[in-house]
Every structure is written in C-alpha cells, then in structure tokens.
Amino acid sequence: MRSLIRFVALCTAVFLLFPSCTIVREGEVGVKRTLGKYKEKPLDKGVAVFNPFITAVQKVSTQTENMEVELNLPSKEGLNIRAEISILYSVDGTRAPELLRQIGTNYERSVILPVFRSAVADVSARYFAKDMHTGQRSIIEGAIMEQMSKVLLDRGLIVENVLVKSIQLPANLARSIEEKLEAEQQALRMEFVLQQARQEADQQRIRAEGTRDAQLIIAEGLTAEVLRFKSIEAFLELSRSPNAKVIISNGEMPVMIEGNQK
C-alpha cells in the first residue's frame, strides 16, 4: 500500500513538473509573465522552468519577418498608384519584454502597419508617379524605411528594408511613359547611326588624305632623270617582245601601236 502511495505521489510530481518546462529555440526569446506582469529579463535559447500555476512563458520571434501590404500610393500630381510593398523587420530580443508590455503580441497590426501607412503616404506624395518606375524607386524605399525607423526603433522593432515589389500606374500615364521611353531609345539609335556615319566619314577623309599624300610624294619623285630611266626600261621591254609593233618616240617617251591593228 505504501509503495502504491509513493508511486502515485511520484507520478503526480512528474505530472506537475512536466508542464513547467518549455524550450526556447534559436531565433526567438522567451518572456516570463508571472501574475500578469512581464519579467524585465528575456529568456535566451534553452530550457526554461516555471511554475505553471502562476507563470506563463511568451515566446517572441527575433528572426526577419516579411510583412506584405497592398495599398494605393498618392503621387505628387494627385494620382493614386496601386503598389505591393514588403516590409522586412525583426524584433530586438533585449527589448521584447517592453514590447509585450506596451503593445502586446499583435504589434504588426497595432504599430507597424499604421506607422508604415503614414510614412508611405508622406514620402510618396513628394514624388511624381513616373519616379516610382525609375531609379527614384530605391530612394523612395530608403526614405520610407528611415521614417518608419524613427518611430519603431524606440519600441524594439527594427525595420531592415522596405521593398516596392510592383507598381500599377494609371493606363494613360503608363502609355505616356512607354512612348517616352521608346522615343528615348529611338534617339539613342539615331545617335548611334550618326556616330557611325561620322566614323565612316573620318575613315574616308583619312584614306583620301593618304592617297593625296602618296600622289604628292610620287609627283615630287618624278624628276626628268627618273622619267628618262623609266623610258629606257620601257624600250628594253619592248625589244624583248616577239610581237610586231610600231614604236613612235621622241627619244624620251615611247608610244606603242600594236602591229595587227587595222
């Protein structure tokens, strides 16, 4: 009988002890809440022991979270631009107790989303709609992130990045931007063609200058002595030819007439 009582007591102790343990994994912290009050020091990874009757452990992820939002962005000219934006954020584990105490577990909807909507409306209203489709997009993303960080960092929320994933411009504006881009591409093509034409003209001018210089050099080298020497060479070549020819010469320059001409 006593052994049975001891066994039951042991099982009861194990049963009461087992729920008082929890495991805090990597990428999260635990915060003890005793009698409704959060402890100041968070729990790091490992086994956490607590009294299940008066204490609970709230786990908070410290990994990077992706919050996707679809909304209309107001532009400087008063247009509404449909956009899909991702907010990458994480929780500062050392400030998790303060975050839970002041905001609670639903901090995405309670704080991050309202702060984001305010920041994105303020920043996008400084830019034209076409800027959101150009290199200005990265500047807009950085400005939104900076403005959000000013509010959220003090609450233990770290905004890592704001990414504008897609932009849907009004149809008329999108068509105008496409036409402008096409015109710019056409202008670039024409500039390329003109550059090629200028290069070809330069090449022709260089060739013409080379031909002119060669002719000048030849002309300068054609002295009377050279012409007389060339004439003698011509007479020698004609003398070796077996064909009948009539040669008329003034002694300097031969003129050849084929013998079979009629």
Side-chain angles (χ1 to χ4, degrees):
M1 186 67 179
R2 290 182 179 178
S3 59
L4 178 62
I5 294 174
R6 289 176 182 175
F7 177 76
V8 172
L10 179 62
C11 291
T12 303
V14 171
F15 177 77
L16 294 175
L17 182 63
F18 181 75
S20 64
C21 296
T22 187
I23 297 176
V24 180
R25 296 176 174 82
E26 288 185 331
E28 64 182 12
V29 295
V31 181
K32 282 186 176 182
R33 186 176 185 179
T34 303
L35 298 176
K37 183 178 180 181
Y38 287 107
K39 299 295 184 179
E40 293 293 338
K41 186 178 180 180
L43 303 173
D44 293 329
K45 63 181 180 179
V47 178
V49 180
F50 61 96
N51 186 339
F53 297 103
I54 60 173
T55 303
V57 175
Q58 179 68 52
K59 298 177 183 179
V60 179
S61 173
T62 57
Q63 296 176 329
T64 299
E65 303 291 338
N66 179 17
M67 181 179 179
E68 295 188 353
V69 183
E70 291 186 5
L71 75 170
N72 291 323
L73 304 180
S75 65
K76 190 173 182 179
E77 64 266 55
L79 298 175
N80 286 324
I81 313 302
R82 190 66 181 173
E84 182 180 348
I85 302 177
S86 286
I87 307 167
L88 302 181
Y89 76 93
S90 59
V91 175
D92 183 356
T94 62
R95 305 187 65 177
E98 181 183 356
L99 178 66
L100 293 175
R101 188 180 301 113
Q102 295 182 356
I103 301 172
T105 58
N106 194 21
Y107 40 81
E108 274 195 357
R109 297 296 171 185
S110 299
V111 176
I112 297 178
L113 185 59
V115 171
F116 165 73
R117 290 185 180 276
S118 175
V120 75
D122 181 60
V123 172
S124 63
R126 307 174 197 167
Y127 294 88
F128 293 103
K130 62 182 181 63
D131 296 333
M132 302 178 190
H133 248 296
T134 62
Q136 296 286 338
R137 177 185 293 195
S138 60
I139 299 176
I140 295 173
E141 293 172 342
I144 295 172
M145 183 180 71
E146 182 180 359
Q147 192 157 324
M148 291 181 66
S149 297
K150 291 179 180 178
V151 179
L152 298 179
L153 193 59
D154 291 339
R155 296 180 177 270
L157 295 167
I158 303 169
V159 181
E160 299 178 4
N161 212 337
V162 175
L163 304 174
V164 180
K165 297 172 59 178
S166 65
I167 292 288
Q168 295 181 5
L169 297 176
N172 293 337
L173 179 60
R175 185 164 54 252
S176 298
I177 293 176
E178 290 177 357
E179 292 174 353
K180 180 182 177 182
L181 293 175
E182 290 177 0
E184 291 176 351
Q185 291 296 323
Q186 184 65 23
L188 290 175
R189 283 194 295 267
M190 289 302 299
E191 178 62 27
F192 177 74
V193 171
L194 291 175
Q195 185 177 359
Q196 280 189 322
R198 284 193 292 267
Q199 290 177 349
E200 292 177 359
D202 291 340
Q203 292 175 355
Q204 293 177 357
R205 185 178 67 255
I206 292 172
R207 285 196 295 267
E209 291 176 353
T211 302
R212 181 198 62 193
D213 294 342
Q215 291 174 348
L216 290 175
I217 293 172
I218 294 173
E220 290 176 356
L222 292 178
T223 61
E225 290 77 10
V226 172
L227 293 174
R228 190 174 296 109
F229 176 75
K230 292 295 183 180
S231 177
I232 294 172
E233 285 184 340
F235 276 118
L236 291 174
E237 290 295 330
L238 288 172
S239 65
R240 298 190 186 99
S241 175
N243 298 329
K245 300 176 178 63
V246 177
I247 300 174
I248 302 173
S249 175
N250 59 0
E252 295 182 355
M253 298 294 293
V255 177
M256 180 179 67
I257 301 175
E258 294 288 345
N260 59 356
Q261 285 184 344
K262 294 181 180 181

